[in-house]
Amino acid sequence: MSQTALNFLFIGISFAVYIVIALRTRAGSTKEYYTAGGGVSSFANGMATAADWMSAATFISMAGAVAMSGYDASRFLMGWTGGFVLLTILMVPFLRKFGKATVPDFIGDRFYSKWARGVAVICAIFICMTYIMGQVRGVGVVFSQLFGIGIPAGVAVGSAIVFFYAGLGGMKGITYTQVAQYCVMAFSYTIPAVFIAIVITNQLVPQLGLIGHYTLGGEQVPFFEKLNRINAELGFQEYTTGNLSMVNMFCITAALMCGTAGLPHVIVRFFTVKNVQAVRNSACWTLVFIAVIYLTAPAIGAFARLNLIEELHTKKYADAPAWFREFEATGQMVWVDKNGDGAIQYFGPRKSAAGTNRVFQGEQPIFPAYDAPENQRLGAHGERLLANKPDLSNPNELWFGNDIMVMANPSMAGLPMWVVSLLMAGCIAAALSTAAGLLLVLSTSISHDLMKKIVKPNLSDRDEVTYARWASFVGLTVASYFGINPPSAFIAQTVAFAFGLAASSFFPTLLIGIFSKRMNKLGAISGMVAGMIFTGGYIIYFQFLGGTKDQLLFGISSEGIGFVGMLINFAVAFLVRPFGDEPPKEVQQMVEQIHIPTGAGKASHH
């Protein structure tokens, strides 16, 4: 059976399972649409939360970041895992006891204001839209490679599938679909890693291979020593050293951590279980399931980095492996023969006096039209030509998107075809699971918190679900556009912007709302607006309006500015609070009450 046939078989089976689950668990009420009826077991919810959590950025792009950046990419590992601990300790048990199914619902009631609810809805829309962009981009990357089509067409196909089962089943359908998706992800991520570890390190456990010896071809050298030496020889920094400044590394990690604790699509998952105890049990299971992937990602990234260099550097294009041509055909790998020797040269910026290793001029490859003459489309060696002019300031001839590293890894290591197909199924499951969860939060923020709570208080349950489905359609359409034209070509970086927005808006407001009974609506609204405007404006300026590195605030990149936005949110909230009235007594009592363990009685002053 061919690789294409196997891909269709594995992905077709997984899609059939997802669609059957969506049909059998179709939401029949707003409670089922928003919280799956509140009866999901802790074990199942832990698995579903892990799937919701492990997005395309985690599954596809995080290992790509590790492969290309080495030590610097640990910001994703530390930020995302640390943030989940914050979320489970500081947020979800209290929010679950409060009993509101959405973040804007909590903020609206806690700060007794439609204005607070409205600002929270706007924040949720911005966060979810930014996050969904990364997911649909991930879907597009995978479908592009799977079907041999362009990324725009891949985004369109994936978006249609997400809309079908997310809009149809609501949280009830998504929950059980995500259980199946986690199983696909876990097997598709770990099995290739085990095979690759055996091939290049002779170790069954990938993590042991990472700290063990490189043994391929009869060598016996510590794996990291081998990787560091190769990187240095080619003009890259050593794999185990970092390039980011300490301030930037800290701010990015902190923004990812605090942003995680403020992500609405993860918070809402803990409303699908029965009670607060089930929330804590569910959180423990989630951490176990997340660990399976996160402890494997560094090994996959490091293996991919070494395999890429060993397989392509100095190899004649005519002798390049078949997988290289497959990625070249979909525009995800590019070779420009700058010196005319017919060999693929892969060098880092230290091999150039200009300090760059750009293959061509411009940020992204531009290809001639498909109906252009053949001599404009194909080079002397049969390679795919670019419309971009080559960048002759450095000797590097190889360009590729970091997000393909995970998908290419099994092929680079020469693994069986069914392993490649299994990995493809996992990549799609990762992107679809998180996109569906985000789409649900986006639609409920509009239908429940905006339409039901602010615009049309008499809205019926049926009409509320209808509005939610229309909101899903519109939101996914907009996200698809930005998935085709993303603010960053790197999925993990696009998603990091969403974490920054969450860190600067929801995290401080939720934390203050839970632990400060004296915070009033004026302070909370002012803090949210200030944090969101500062962070959003900073990201827009440096991503869309031509901001340069020398203009960065203290050298902090757009990925890390959410941490500064969070501090601004806290500062503004507490500075403005004295200018407003004290919160109503019932609100203060409510805040005290959610801190009391179940069965301890009502809170009282002493």
Side-chain angles (χ1 to χ4, degrees), residues 98 120 155 223 227 245 278 280 284 354 356 410 452 454 466 541 552 583:
F98 184 75
V155 167
F223 180 81
L227 193 51
S245 68
R280 298 185 188 278
C284 290
T356 66
K452 175 76 173 178
I454 299 177
T466 300
Y541 177 73
L552 292 171

Side-chain angles (χ1 to χ4, degrees), residues 51-326:
D52 206 351
W53 174 244
M54 286 180 290
S55 61
T58 298
F59 196 94
I60 299 174
S61 197
M62 185 174 67
V66 173
M68 302 312 300
S69 305
Y71 173 82
D72 284 340
S74 61
R75 64 191 188 272
F76 296 112
L77 292 164
M78 294 187 295
W80 285 336
T81 51
F84 195 85
V85 175
L86 285 181
L87 176 70
T88 56
I89 293 174
L90 296 179
M91 297 288 187
V92 289
F94 303 104
L95 293 175
R96 181 65 178 83
K97 191 171 183 182
F98 184 75
K100 296 298 180 181
T102 69
V103 171
D105 216 4
F106 170 79
I107 291 175
D109 284 7
R110 164 61 185 86
F111 297 109
Y112 50 95
S113 168
K114 286 186 177 181
W115 282 103
R117 186 187 300 273
V119 171
V121 169
I122 293 171
C123 292
I125 291 172
F126 271 99
I127 292 166
C128 291
M129 287 302 299
T130 307
Y131 209 151
I132 292 175
M133 291 176 202
Q135 307 318 306
V136 296
R137 178 73 179 181
V139 173
V141 168
V142 178
F143 278 145
S144 168
Q145 192 59 37
L146 178 64
F147 298 122
I149 58 179
I151 288 180
V155 167
V157 172
S159 297
I161 294 170
V162 171
F163 176 74
F164 176 79
Y165 77 79
L168 183 69
M171 180 59 80
K172 186 178 180 181
I174 287 172
T175 295
Y176 295 104
T177 302
Q178 286 174 335
V179 170
Q181 286 168 333
Y182 175 79
C183 295
V184 173
M185 282 189 280
F187 283 109
S188 64
Y189 210 69
T190 55
I191 290 176
V194 169
F195 273 89
I196 296 169
I198 293 172
V199 169
I200 67 177
T201 68
N202 203 30
Q203 291 282 352
L204 181 64
V205 180
Q207 292 81 2
L208 295 180
L210 194 63
I211 60 175
H213 285 71
Y214 178 82
T215 59
L216 194 62
E219 284 192 65
Q220 278 289 340
V221 59
F223 180 81
F224 277 129
E225 181 182 316
K226 168 86 172 178
L227 193 51
N228 280 338
R229 186 176 70 245
I230 288 179
N231 273 273
E233 288 173 354
L234 297 183
F236 296 95
Q237 66 179 22
E238 288 191 346
Y239 191 79
T240 53
T241 61
N243 196 38
L244 289 175
S245 68
M246 184 179 296
V247 170
N248 206 18
M249 185 74 165
F250 173 82
C251 287
I252 293 174
T253 304
L256 293 173
M257 189 177 294
C258 298
T260 295
L263 285 178
H265 75 289
V266 177
I267 291 173
V268 74
R269 283 241 49 95
F270 292 96
F271 288 88
T272 63
V273 294
K274 296 177 182 179
N275 50 44
V276 175
Q277 182 59 46
V279 166
R280 298 185 188 278
N281 294 338
S282 179
C284 290
W285 279 116
T286 302
L287 287 170
V288 170
F289 293 130
I290 286 176
V292 173
I293 304 295
Y294 269 62
L295 292 177
T296 309
I300 289 180
F303 295 158
R305 177 69 175 170
L306 189 58
N307 282 334
L308 176 80
I309 295 171
E310 294 281 272
E311 285 290 307
L312 293 181
H313 181 57
T314 69
K315 182 159 289 187
K316 291 287 185 181
Y317 178 82
D319 300 325
W323 57 265
F324 175 77
R325 297 177 187 275
E326 291 171 2

Side-chain angles (χ1 to χ4, degrees), residues 456-487:
K456 291 185 176 181
N458 297 322
L459 199 66
S460 68
D461 279 5
R462 181 175 180 179
D463 289 340
E464 194 176 336
V465 172
T466 300
Y467 272 110
R469 286 172 176 153
W470 273 108
S472 296
F473 176 77
V474 174
L476 198 55
T477 301
V478 175
S480 297
Y481 171 80
F482 284 104
I484 296 169
N485 305 284

Side-chain angles (χ1 to χ4, degrees), residues 301-537:
F303 295 158
R305 177 69 175 170
L306 189 58
N307 282 334
L308 176 80
I309 295 171
E310 294 281 272
E311 285 290 307
L312 293 181
H313 181 57
T314 69
K315 182 159 289 187
K316 291 287 185 181
Y317 178 82
D319 300 325
W323 57 265
F324 175 77
R325 297 177 187 275
E326 291 171 2
F327 282 101
E328 183 188 34
T330 57
Q332 297 182 59
M333 276 188 153
V334 167
W335 171 60
V336 176
D337 191 15
K338 294 181 181 180
N339 57 12
D341 66 353
I344 300 170
Q345 313 285 339
Y346 181 49
F347 291 109
R350 295 179 183 176
K351 287 290 185 179
S352 165
T356 66
N357 69 330
R358 292 193 308 175
V359 176
F360 47 79
Q361 297 178 20
E363 295 299 322
Q364 294 293 313
I366 301 172
F367 298 97
Y370 285 103
D371 57 353
E374 184 175 298
N375 64 343
Q376 295 180 17
R377 292 183 291 106
L378 299 176
H381 304 283
E383 76 274 19
R384 190 175 182 185
L385 294 178
L386 295 179
N388 312 62
K389 292 182 179 179
D391 186 338
L392 300 178
S393 66
N394 65 82
N396 183 40
E397 299 178 342
L398 179 66
W399 175 92
F400 53 90
N402 293 349
D403 297 322
I404 69 167
M405 294 299 287
V406 170
M407 291 187 292
N409 208 14
S411 298
M412 288 190 287
L415 301 188
M417 291 190 296
W418 68 267
V419 178
V420 179
S421 299
L422 181 63
L423 182 65
M424 285 287 192
C427 290
I428 293 175
L432 294 182
S433 64
T434 302
L438 288 163
L439 195 63
L440 181 69
V441 169
L442 178 68
S443 64
T444 54
S445 293
I446 293 173
S447 64
H448 178 73
D449 296 302
L450 180 62
M451 299 303 299
K452 175 76 173 178
K453 294 290 187 176
I454 299 177
V455 180
K456 291 185 176 181
N458 297 322
L459 199 66
S460 68
D461 279 5
R462 181 175 180 179
D463 289 340
E464 194 176 336
V465 172
T466 300
Y467 272 110
R469 286 172 176 153
W470 273 108
S472 296
F473 176 77
V474 174
L476 198 55
T477 301
V478 175
S480 297
Y481 171 80
F482 284 104
I484 296 169
N485 305 284
S488 168
F490 190 25
I491 295 172
Q493 193 173 31
T494 302
V495 169
F497 300 151
F499 283 81
L501 295 173
S504 62
S505 58
F506 281 153
F507 177 72
T509 307
L510 291 172
L511 206 61
I512 292 170
I514 291 170
F515 294 104
S516 175
K517 67 179 183 180
R518 298 189 63 189
M519 179 56 68
N520 55 29
K521 62 182 178 182
L522 183 62
I525 294 172
S526 300
M528 270 196 298
V529 171
M532 194 72 172
I533 289 177
F534 171 80
T535 305

